[in-house]
mmCIF file of all heavy atoms in Angstrom:
data_model
loop_
_atom_site.group_PDB
_atom_site.id
_atom_site.type_symbol
_atom_site.label_atom_id
_atom_site.label_comp_id
_atom_site.label_asym_id
_atom_site.label_seq_id
_atom_site.Cartn_x
_atom_site.Cartn_y
_atom_site.Cartn_z
ATOM 1 N N ARG A 376 5.140 4.196 -1.490
ATOM 2 C CA ARG A 376 5.230 4.726 -0.123
ATOM 3 C C ARG A 376 4.696 6.159 -0.066
ATOM 4 O O ARG A 376 5.098 6.949 0.756
ATOM 5 C CB ARG A 376 6.697 4.742 0.342
ATOM 6 C CG ARG A 376 7.404 3.436 0.261
ATOM 7 C CD ARG A 376 6.871 2.429 1.285
ATOM 8 N NE ARG A 376 7.374 1.104 0.959
ATOM 9 C CZ ARG A 376 6.729 0.238 0.166
ATOM 10 N NH1 ARG A 376 5.557 0.528 -0.383
ATOM 11 N NH2 ARG A 376 7.255 -0.942 -0.078
ATOM 12 N N ARG A 386 6.228 11.279 -2.866
ATOM 13 C CA ARG A 386 7.385 10.380 -2.972
ATOM 14 C C ARG A 386 7.506 9.623 -4.275
ATOM 15 O O ARG A 386 8.524 8.994 -4.540
ATOM 16 C CB ARG A 386 7.417 9.403 -1.804
ATOM 17 C CG ARG A 386 8.238 9.945 -0.664
ATOM 18 C CD ARG A 386 8.472 8.913 0.396
ATOM 19 N NE ARG A 386 9.428 7.896 0.002
ATOM 20 C CZ ARG A 386 9.776 6.893 0.787
ATOM 21 N NH1 ARG A 386 9.249 6.788 1.975
ATOM 22 N NH2 ARG A 386 10.646 5.995 0.395
ATOM 23 N N ARG A 391 13.104 0.288 -4.997
ATOM 24 C CA ARG A 391 13.128 -0.950 -4.202
ATOM 25 C C ARG A 391 11.741 -1.253 -3.655
ATOM 26 O O ARG A 391 11.342 -2.399 -3.536
ATOM 27 C CB ARG A 391 14.138 -0.830 -3.060
ATOM 28 C CG ARG A 391 13.732 0.139 -1.959
ATOM 29 C CD ARG A 391 14.510 -0.143 -0.669
ATOM 30 N NE ARG A 391 15.885 0.300 -0.747
ATOM 31 C CZ ARG A 391 16.356 1.410 -0.150
ATOM 32 N NH1 ARG A 391 15.556 2.175 0.555
ATOM 33 N NH2 ARG A 391 17.615 1.727 -0.241
ATOM 34 N N ASP A 392 11.025 -0.159 -3.323
ATOM 35 C CA ASP A 392 9.732 -0.336 -2.671
ATOM 36 C C ASP A 392 8.743 -1.014 -3.609
ATOM 37 O O ASP A 392 8.101 -2.001 -3.257
ATOM 38 C CB ASP A 392 9.192 1.029 -2.212
ATOM 39 C CG ASP A 392 10.200 1.759 -1.340
ATOM 40 O OD1 ASP A 392 10.840 1.096 -0.508
ATOM 41 O OD2 ASP A 392 10.368 2.981 -1.498
ATOM 42 N N GLN A 395 9.436 -4.603 -4.398
ATOM 43 C CA GLN A 395 8.994 -5.516 -3.326
ATOM 44 C C GLN A 395 7.476 -5.607 -3.291
ATOM 45 O O GLN A 395 6.913 -6.682 -3.075
ATOM 46 C CB GLN A 395 9.533 -5.048 -1.978
ATOM 47 C CG GLN A 395 11.050 -5.165 -1.865
ATOM 48 C CD GLN A 395 11.576 -4.491 -0.607
ATOM 49 O OE1 GLN A 395 11.477 -5.034 0.481
ATOM 50 N NE2 GLN A 395 12.138 -3.302 -0.764
ATOM 51 N N HIS A 427 16.522 5.761 -7.837
ATOM 52 C CA HIS A 427 15.906 5.416 -6.554
ATOM 53 C C HIS A 427 14.420 5.779 -6.493
ATOM 54 O O HIS A 427 13.625 5.087 -5.886
ATOM 55 C CB HIS A 427 16.673 6.130 -5.441
ATOM 56 C CG HIS A 427 16.368 5.608 -4.085
ATOM 57 N ND1 HIS A 427 16.524 4.284 -3.739
ATOM 58 C CD2 HIS A 427 15.886 6.226 -2.970
ATOM 59 C CE1 HIS A 427 16.162 4.113 -2.468
ATOM 60 N NE2 HIS A 427 15.758 5.270 -1.990
ATOM 61 N N ASP A 446 21.144 -1.818 -3.286
ATOM 62 C CA ASP A 446 20.110 -2.856 -3.349
ATOM 63 C C ASP A 446 19.084 -2.680 -4.457
ATOM 64 O O ASP A 446 18.500 -3.667 -4.905
ATOM 65 C CB ASP A 446 19.346 -2.911 -2.025
ATOM 66 C CG ASP A 446 18.484 -1.672 -1.797
ATOM 67 O OD1 ASP A 446 18.969 -0.559 -2.053
ATOM 68 O OD2 ASP A 446 17.307 -1.817 -1.401
ATOM 69 N N ASP A 515 21.677 0.418 1.499
ATOM 70 C CA ASP A 515 21.009 -0.790 1.000
ATOM 71 C C ASP A 515 19.552 -0.647 1.415
ATOM 72 O O ASP A 515 19.058 0.482 1.542
ATOM 73 C CB ASP A 515 21.691 -2.081 1.499
ATOM 74 C CG ASP A 515 21.728 -2.213 3.011
ATOM 75 O OD1 ASP A 515 20.849 -1.651 3.693
ATOM 76 O OD2 ASP A 515 22.641 -2.905 3.519
ATOM 77 N N TRP A 516 18.850 -1.760 1.664
ATOM 78 C CA TRP A 516 17.441 -1.629 2.054
ATOM 79 C C TRP A 516 17.253 -0.631 3.192
ATOM 80 O O TRP A 516 16.281 0.113 3.243
ATOM 81 C CB TRP A 516 16.885 -2.998 2.469
ATOM 82 C CG TRP A 516 15.569 -2.883 3.161
ATOM 83 C CD1 TRP A 516 14.341 -2.843 2.574
ATOM 84 C CD2 TRP A 516 15.344 -2.761 4.575
ATOM 85 N NE1 TRP A 516 13.359 -2.692 3.529
ATOM 86 C CE2 TRP A 516 13.952 -2.638 4.772
ATOM 87 C CE3 TRP A 516 16.175 -2.726 5.708
ATOM 88 C CZ2 TRP A 516 13.366 -2.513 6.034
ATOM 89 C CZ3 TRP A 516 15.592 -2.590 6.960
ATOM 90 C CH2 TRP A 516 14.209 -2.489 7.116
ATOM 91 N N ASN A 517 18.224 -0.613 4.108
ATOM 92 C CA ASN A 517 18.158 0.296 5.249
ATOM 93 C C ASN A 517 18.581 1.697 4.803
ATOM 94 O O ASN A 517 19.744 1.943 4.477
ATOM 95 C CB ASN A 517 19.099 -0.231 6.341
ATOM 96 C CG ASN A 517 19.069 0.617 7.588
ATOM 97 O OD1 ASN A 517 18.990 1.839 7.519
ATOM 98 N ND2 ASN A 517 19.153 -0.042 8.731
ATOM 99 N N ASP A 518 17.617 2.599 4.820
ATOM 100 C CA ASP A 518 17.815 3.942 4.268
ATOM 101 C C ASP A 518 19.018 4.681 4.836
ATOM 102 O O ASP A 518 19.545 5.579 4.185
ATOM 103 C CB ASP A 518 16.573 4.796 4.575
ATOM 104 C CG ASP A 518 15.499 4.638 3.521
ATOM 105 O OD1 ASP A 518 15.823 4.219 2.407
ATOM 106 O OD2 ASP A 518 14.333 4.944 3.837
ATOM 107 N N ILE A 519 19.401 4.387 6.083
ATOM 108 C CA ILE A 519 20.458 5.218 6.659
ATOM 109 C C ILE A 519 21.748 4.441 6.948
ATOM 110 O O ILE A 519 22.658 4.969 7.565
ATOM 111 C CB ILE A 519 19.962 5.965 7.921
ATOM 112 C CG1 ILE A 519 19.498 4.988 8.998
ATOM 113 C CG2 ILE A 519 18.820 6.912 7.564
ATOM 114 C CD1 ILE A 519 19.130 5.710 10.305
ATOM 115 N N LEU A 641 14.887 -3.694 15.046
ATOM 116 C CA LEU A 641 15.786 -3.801 13.890
ATOM 117 C C LEU A 641 17.234 -3.981 14.339
ATOM 118 O O LEU A 641 18.029 -4.594 13.642
ATOM 119 C CB LEU A 641 15.654 -2.553 13.009
ATOM 120 C CG LEU A 641 16.299 -2.616 11.642
ATOM 121 C CD1 LEU A 641 15.664 -3.702 10.781
ATOM 122 C CD2 LEU A 641 16.191 -1.272 10.922
ATOM 123 N N GLU A 666 14.880 3.447 11.751
ATOM 124 C CA GLU A 666 15.963 2.478 11.563
ATOM 125 C C GLU A 666 16.860 2.378 12.788
ATOM 126 O O GLU A 666 17.735 1.531 12.840
ATOM 127 C CB GLU A 666 16.795 2.856 10.325
ATOM 128 C CG GLU A 666 16.144 2.502 8.993
ATOM 129 C CD GLU A 666 15.100 3.527 8.546
ATOM 130 O OE1 GLU A 666 14.703 4.389 9.366
ATOM 131 O OE2 GLU A 666 14.665 3.454 7.376
ATOM 132 N N PHE A 671 10.900 -2.868 13.452
ATOM 133 C CA PHE A 671 10.718 -2.570 12.032
ATOM 134 C C PHE A 671 9.940 -3.730 11.415
ATOM 135 O O PHE A 671 10.497 -4.786 11.114
ATOM 136 C CB PHE A 671 12.074 -2.350 11.347
ATOM 137 C CG PHE A 671 12.041 -1.208 10.387
ATOM 138 C CD1 PHE A 671 12.618 0.017 10.693
ATOM 139 C CD2 PHE A 671 11.379 -1.328 9.174
ATOM 140 C CE1 PHE A 671 12.555 1.088 9.824
ATOM 141 C CE2 PHE A 671 11.304 -0.268 8.290
ATOM 142 C CZ PHE A 671 11.889 0.943 8.613
ATOM 143 N N HIS A 673 8.558 -4.288 8.606
ATOM 144 C CA HIS A 673 8.998 -4.719 7.281
ATOM 145 C C HIS A 673 10.118 -5.765 7.419
ATOM 146 O O HIS A 673 10.117 -6.797 6.744
ATOM 147 C CB HIS A 673 9.466 -3.459 6.531
ATOM 148 C CG HIS A 673 9.869 -3.657 5.111
ATOM 149 N ND1 HIS A 673 10.041 -2.600 4.256
ATOM 150 C CD2 HIS A 673 10.158 -4.747 4.382
ATOM 151 C CE1 HIS A 673 10.407 -3.055 3.063
ATOM 152 N NE2 HIS A 673 10.484 -4.353 3.121
ATOM 153 N N SER A 721 4.795 0.387 8.853
ATOM 154 C CA SER A 721 6.211 0.173 8.566
ATOM 155 C C SER A 721 6.965 -0.186 9.832
ATOM 156 O O SER A 721 7.774 -1.109 9.855
ATOM 157 C CB SER A 721 6.799 1.441 7.945
ATOM 158 O OG SER A 721 8.190 1.425 8.019
ATOM 159 N N ASN A 722 6.715 0.580 10.901
ATOM 160 C CA ASN A 722 7.476 0.321 12.122
ATOM 161 C C ASN A 722 6.725 0.803 13.347
ATOM 162 O O ASN A 722 5.826 1.637 13.251
ATOM 163 C CB ASN A 722 8.860 0.971 12.022
ATOM 164 C CG ASN A 722 8.781 2.468 11.815
ATOM 165 O OD1 ASN A 722 8.561 3.215 12.762
ATOM 166 N ND2 ASN A 722 8.916 2.926 10.576
ATOM 167 N N VAL A 736 3.794 5.018 9.765
ATOM 168 C CA VAL A 736 3.702 4.799 8.319
ATOM 169 C C VAL A 736 2.680 3.701 8.016
ATOM 170 O O VAL A 736 3.013 2.601 7.583
ATOM 171 C CB VAL A 736 5.068 4.494 7.650
ATOM 172 C CG1 VAL A 736 4.976 4.692 6.145
ATOM 173 C CG2 VAL A 736 6.173 5.348 8.218
ATOM 174 N N ILE A 739 1.184 2.131 3.817
ATOM 175 C CA ILE A 739 2.106 2.198 2.674
ATOM 176 C C ILE A 739 3.500 1.751 3.092
ATOM 177 O O ILE A 739 4.422 2.559 3.221
ATOM 178 C CB ILE A 739 2.124 3.623 2.068
ATOM 179 C CG1 ILE A 739 2.221 4.683 3.169
ATOM 180 C CG2 ILE A 739 0.885 3.863 1.227
ATOM 181 C CD1 ILE A 739 2.532 6.082 2.658
ATOM 182 N N SER A 740 3.637 0.466 3.289
ATOM 183 C CA SER A 740 4.918 -0.058 3.751
ATOM 184 C C SER A 740 5.183 -1.413 3.118
ATOM 185 O O SER A 740 4.251 -2.168 2.830
ATOM 186 C CB SER A 740 4.872 -0.209 5.272
ATOM 187 O OG SER A 740 5.844 -1.132 5.685
ATOM 188 N N GLY A 741 6.458 -1.714 2.960
ATOM 189 C CA GLY A 741 6.851 -3.026 2.452
ATOM 190 C C GLY A 741 6.435 -4.157 3.384
ATOM 191 O O GLY A 741 6.498 -5.331 3.018
HETATM 192 C C1 LIG B 928 11.299 3.012 4.509
HETATM 193 C C2 LIG B 928 11.613 3.277 3.061
HETATM 194 C C3 LIG B 928 12.168 2.043 2.388
HETATM 195 C C4 LIG B 928 13.331 1.500 3.171
HETATM 196 C C5 LIG B 928 12.936 1.244 4.613
HETATM 197 C C6 LIG B 928 14.104 0.843 5.470
HETATM 198 O O1 LIG B 928 10.227 2.141 4.613
HETATM 199 O O2 LIG B 928 10.459 3.702 2.392
HETATM 200 O O3 LIG B 928 12.588 2.356 1.076
HETATM 201 O O4 LIG B 928 13.788 0.319 2.568
HETATM 202 O O5 LIG B 928 12.397 2.424 5.169
HETATM 203 O O6 LIG B 928 15.013 1.884 5.608
#
Side-chain angles (χ1 to χ4, degrees):
R376 305 291 167 269
R386 268 190 73 180
R391 70 161 74 104
D392 306 320
Q395 293 171 78
H427 194 56
D446 69 316
D515 59 27
W516 167 87
N517 182 321
D518 273 339
I519 60 175
L641 192 63
E666 283 81 348
F671 221 105
H673 184 166
S721 163
N722 59 79
V736 197
I739 45 168
S740 158

